[in-house]
């Protein structure tokens, strides 16, 4: 066995705190090592050539590269050694950057640690076996979870590319947050006017199958072959009969139902169609408010419905769909205003959220586009906007910036002046963050053209005084306290992860961060992929994002799916479990512990019963290997012998 | 193994590829400084960690062993870390019967985004072991 070891300087990233020459020198002394050298950038083209040349020149048959994390460049180097004719599994990467040079200050200790990491990799690679991929068919259908603007863009791009799309939306209509907006910054374009056509495209596209008012119950399978169980929630209205005429909504006697679409800006009816452009435009009954459900009698809607669509007995329904890839576009949520106690959130009716204010501005909103104070329905003249209401506040667990509040507050200040010319808007801000195209000009327009007064400082308290709300805060530019008597206060509440985001991530087997936002494969270079192959991200489920960024990600995720599906077969990862039929005693403990049902009972010609791994289903976790009492089932590339080789070299003198 | 005498102990870490190994990478990228004693072995899932690996390491020369996986319910392989949790908890209670202080073994959960948490885990465990001192007579 002739192992080649290549130590990477990574410029000064590694060489700065690790004596790479010494690591190479020590590597040369390790048993089995035929060649060791240090190189400036091993991942560069000449660096890779160095490896292929050495393989040929020194007849190397195993390669170790000590460099960055294998999560970064393992595939690069596997391809490199393949070019030189070696099996790509005859490769190990020692992580001496993320795990050594970047975290330790002492050069002596770092160098010693790097030598050890190389020693482990050398021992491991000596035990490596050649592995070969097999290929399997893929189901070229894609599931899009969430029908907001990001999900719609992804669905349309996939469908236009010829893929069948299954879209699942949890609320009764697609459209998401953008459908609720009145105007969009920085063009002050009408939001629904630009979104509406897209929604119609989704509804009318032959290749898009829409499940509205539905949720994901369960996801099974792996890239190329997922089985998805979809729960259709009962709307208590037969949507095949409902024409969306709205008569039921008009006659419904329950007028105090919570309006999810308007974020509670005003009450609605127990049976309702969320907004005029809704798709599908169908009615849904809220059983928490409907008298038929709460009191057991009413039936008004059933009587007035001209098509007899009302069905109080409707049950939830489960549907199974088979897809090959999943785009997650589940969007975001907003911080509960009641957590902002110093602002009187939830206690004072005239302290509202930005999205509620947006609904007041919107012509299809609860006030038909008239701005009112919720307490007495009068037109407010002095309006105070509070930016960073909850955002960038460690004490509330939201240390991050919510991305788009600065911009929508500027937009709302502009619209307020349009709606009420004699009004005065004040904006309390920490910093105005407007880095998009045309954004900074827009926030300046709000101040210079529309006379919004921007006050740099935080609000400490909001309290009522007669009919007014007193907003007390600091003006840090003037170094004074300010108090403004406002008619209405609008809070730019923090963007948080969507309700249920964590549970959804668990169904998808993708990671989420401390805040519930989904984690992408690489923050810079793989922004729409996840670490679970076949699952992609789009929009604000990954982090707060405005419309153009969400649309961009929707298209990006669709492009990823289209390129994945451009092949008919996918290559399987050969690092899967393998049964030694001679040592297997047929206890089938592995069969019970396998999380993927990838192991089945098999009867040999001799009549002996043994475990058998279904290659395409095995995901390579290795739970079976640590379960097997006789070591008969071994996860390839991470066998007991391979891992113990690493343990032994570390622990034995 | 040649840990730097007097300064370092032998600590072996088994990290799952998807969460904790990534978390350790994130800590590195963020330059979260850590003690240098730990040597990391990459495994696909914490469920791959055979308790015997831990015992072998402790008996043959390690002063401490750390296992870290994805947070429960957030396993890349759906429930591999639940198997890990059961086995490793059992192991922890069994170690004293082998004459090994169970403080020398620790299992925990660190996600790929938790670089700062990884720094804390490594620092705390290393400090704990330094307080206990070396396990094997030199």
């Amino acid at each position: 066995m002739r192992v080649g070891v290549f130590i990477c300087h990574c410029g000064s990233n590694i060489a700065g705190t690790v004596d790479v020459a010494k690591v190479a020198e020590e590597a040369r002394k390790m048993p089995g090592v035929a060649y060791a050298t240090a190189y400036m950038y091993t991942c560069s083209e000449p660096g890779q050539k160095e490896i292929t040349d050495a393989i040929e020149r020194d007849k190397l048959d195993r390669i170790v590269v000590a460099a960055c994390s294998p999560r970064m460049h393992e595939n690069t180097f596997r391809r490199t050694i393949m070019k030189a004719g070696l099996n790509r599994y005859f490769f190990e990467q020692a992580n001496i950057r993320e795990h050594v040079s970047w975290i330790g200050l002492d050069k002596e200790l770092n160098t010693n640690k790097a030598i050890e990491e190389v020693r482990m990799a050398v021992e491991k690679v000596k035990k490596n076996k050649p592995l070969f991929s097999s290929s399997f068919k893929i189901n070229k259908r894609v599931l899009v979870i969430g029908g907001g603007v990001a999900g719609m863009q992804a669905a349309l791009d996939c469908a236009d590319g010829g893929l069948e799309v299954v879209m699942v939306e949890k609320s009764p209509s697609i459209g998401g947050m953008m459908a609720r907006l009145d105007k969009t910054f920085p063009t002050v374009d009408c939001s629904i006017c630009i979104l509406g056509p897209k929604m119609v495209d989704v509804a009318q596209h032959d290749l898009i199958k829409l499940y509205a008012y539905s949720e994901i119950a369960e996801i099974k399978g792996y890239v190329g072959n997922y089985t998805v169980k979809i729960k259709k929630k009962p709307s208590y209205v037969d949507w095949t009969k409902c024409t969306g005429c709205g008569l039921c909504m008009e006659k419904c006697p329950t007028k105090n139902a919570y309006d999810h679409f308007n974020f509670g800006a005003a009450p609605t009816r127990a049976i309702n169609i969320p907004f005029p452009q809704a798709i599908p435009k169908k009615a849904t009954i809220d059983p928490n408010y409907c008298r038929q459900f709460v009191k057991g009698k009413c039936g008004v809607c059933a009587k007035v419905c001209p098509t007899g669509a009302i069905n109080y007995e409707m049950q939830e329904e489960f549907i199974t769909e088979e897809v090959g890839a999943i785009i997650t576009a589940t969007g975001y949520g907003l911080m509960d205003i009641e957590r902002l106690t110093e602002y009187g959130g939830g206690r004072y009716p005239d302290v509202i959220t930005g999205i509620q204010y947006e609904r007041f501005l919107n012509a299809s909103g609860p006030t038909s586009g008239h701005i009112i104070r919720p307490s007495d329905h009068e037109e407010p003249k002095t309006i105070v906007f509070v930016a960073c209401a909850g955002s960038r506040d460690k004490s509330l667990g939201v240390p991050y910036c919510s991305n788009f509040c600065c911009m929508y507050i500027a937009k709302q200040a502009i619209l307020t002046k349009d709606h009420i010319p004699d009004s005065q808007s004040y904006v309390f801000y920490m910093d105005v963050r407007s880095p998009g195209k045309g954004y900074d000009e827009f926030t300046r327009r709000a101040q210079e053209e529309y006379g919004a007064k921007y006050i740099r400082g935080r609000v400490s308290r909001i309290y009522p005084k007669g009919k007014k709300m007193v907003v007390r805060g600091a003006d840090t530019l003037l170094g004074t306290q300010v108090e403004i008597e406002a008619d209405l206060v609008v809070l730019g509440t923090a963007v948080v992860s969507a309700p249920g985001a964590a549970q959804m991530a668990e169904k998808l087997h993708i990671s989420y961060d401390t805040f519930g936002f989904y984690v992408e494969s690489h923050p810079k270079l793989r922004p729409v992929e996840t670490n679970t192959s076949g699952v992609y991200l789009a929009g604000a489920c990954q982090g707060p994002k405005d419309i153009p960024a969400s649309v961009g990600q929707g298209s990006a995720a669709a492009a990823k799916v289209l390129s994945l599906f451009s092949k008919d077969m996918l290559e399987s990862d050969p690092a899967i479990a393998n049964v030694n039929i001679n040592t297997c005693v047929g206890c089938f403990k592995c069969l019970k512990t396998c999380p993927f049902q990838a192991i089945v009972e098999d009867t040999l010609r001799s009549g002996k019963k043994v475990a058998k791994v279904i290659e395409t289903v095995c995901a390579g976790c290795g739970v079976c290997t640590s379960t097997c009492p006789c070591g008969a089932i071994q996860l390839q590339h991470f066998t007991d012998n391979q891992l113990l080789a690493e343990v032994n070299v570390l622990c034995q003198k | 193994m040649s840990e730097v005498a007097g300064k370092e102990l032998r600590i072996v870490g088994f990290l799952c590829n998807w969460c904790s190994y990534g978390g350790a990478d994130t800590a590195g990228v963020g330059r979260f400084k850590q003690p240098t004693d730990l040597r990391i072995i990459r495994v696909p899932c914490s469920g791959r960690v055979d308790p015997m690996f831990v015992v072998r390491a402790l008996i043959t020369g390690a002063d401490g062993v750390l296992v870290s996986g994805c947070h429960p319910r957030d396993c890349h392989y759906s429930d591999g870390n639940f198997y890990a949790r059961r086995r490793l908890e059992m192991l922890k209670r069994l170690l004293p019967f082998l004459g090994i202080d169970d403080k020398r073994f620790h299992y925990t959960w660190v996600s790929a985004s938790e670089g700062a948490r990884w720094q804390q885990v490594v620092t705390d465990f290393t400090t704990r072991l330094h307080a206990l001192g070396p396990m094997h007579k030199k």
Side-chain angles (χ1 to χ4, degrees), chain B residues 28-39:
Chain B
V29 174
R31 313 298 199 274
F32 292 120
K33 299 289 177 257
Q34 296 153 41
T36 48
D37 313 43
L38 180 73
R39 307 285 181 264

Side-chain angles (χ1 to χ4, degrees), chain A residues 71-72 519-529 531 542:
Chain A
R71 285 164 57 101
M72 187 78 111
V519 178
E520 65 281 11
S521 261
H522 190 279
K524 297 282 173 201
L525 302 176
R526 302 183 71 191
V528 297
E529 290 111 309
N531 279 333
Q542 182 261 349

Side-chain angles (χ1 to χ4, degrees), chain A residues 196-230:
Chain A
K198 266 197 194 302
M199 292 167 62
V200 174
D201 285 350
V202 169
Q204 293 181 344
H205 208 296
D206 289 338
L207 291 174
I208 301 178
K209 198 174 187 182
L210 173 64
Y211 293 99
Y213 208 46
S214 301
E215 282 173 9
I216 304 294
E218 191 183 73
I219 297 172
K220 275 195 171 150
Y222 50 93
V223 58
N225 295 282
Y226 285 106
T227 307
V228 184
K229 205 161 146 195
I230 299 164

Side-chain angles (χ1 to χ4, degrees), chain A residues 69 71 506 626-627 640 650, chain B residues 1 17 25 47-48 73 87:
Chain A
S69 171
R71 285 164 57 101
E506 285 152 14
S626 40
T627 304
D640 286 345
L650 278 180
Chain B
M1 169 159 157
N17 179 48
D25 281 358
R48 172 67 191 92
R73 299 185 56 82
R87 289 169 183 160

Side-chain angles (χ1 to χ4, degrees), chain A residues 414-476:
Chain A
I414 288 175
L415 294 175
T416 305
K417 196 76 176 173
D418 275 342
H419 281 247
I420 314 168
D422 61 339
S423 68
Q424 176 63 54
S425 295
Y426 295 88
V427 179
F428 279 92
Y429 69 98
M430 285 165 76
D431 301 286
V432 175
R433 296 191 164 174
S434 48
K437 195 172 169 183
Y439 285 14
D440 206 53
E441 298 91 312
F442 187 73
T443 55
R444 288 191 174 280
R445 258 180 86 196
Q447 298 168 59
E448 289 160 10
E449 206 176 308
Y450 291 86
K453 291 209 169 109
Y454 272 59
I455 302 165
R456 187 178 184 277
R458 301 209 70 172
V459 172
S460 61
R461 207 181 146 209
I462 297 173
Y463 59 93
K465 185 178 167 190
K467 290 175 81 176
K468 300 267 187 182
M469 298 303 301
V470 180
V471 182
R472 183 189 285 172
D475 185 330
T476 54

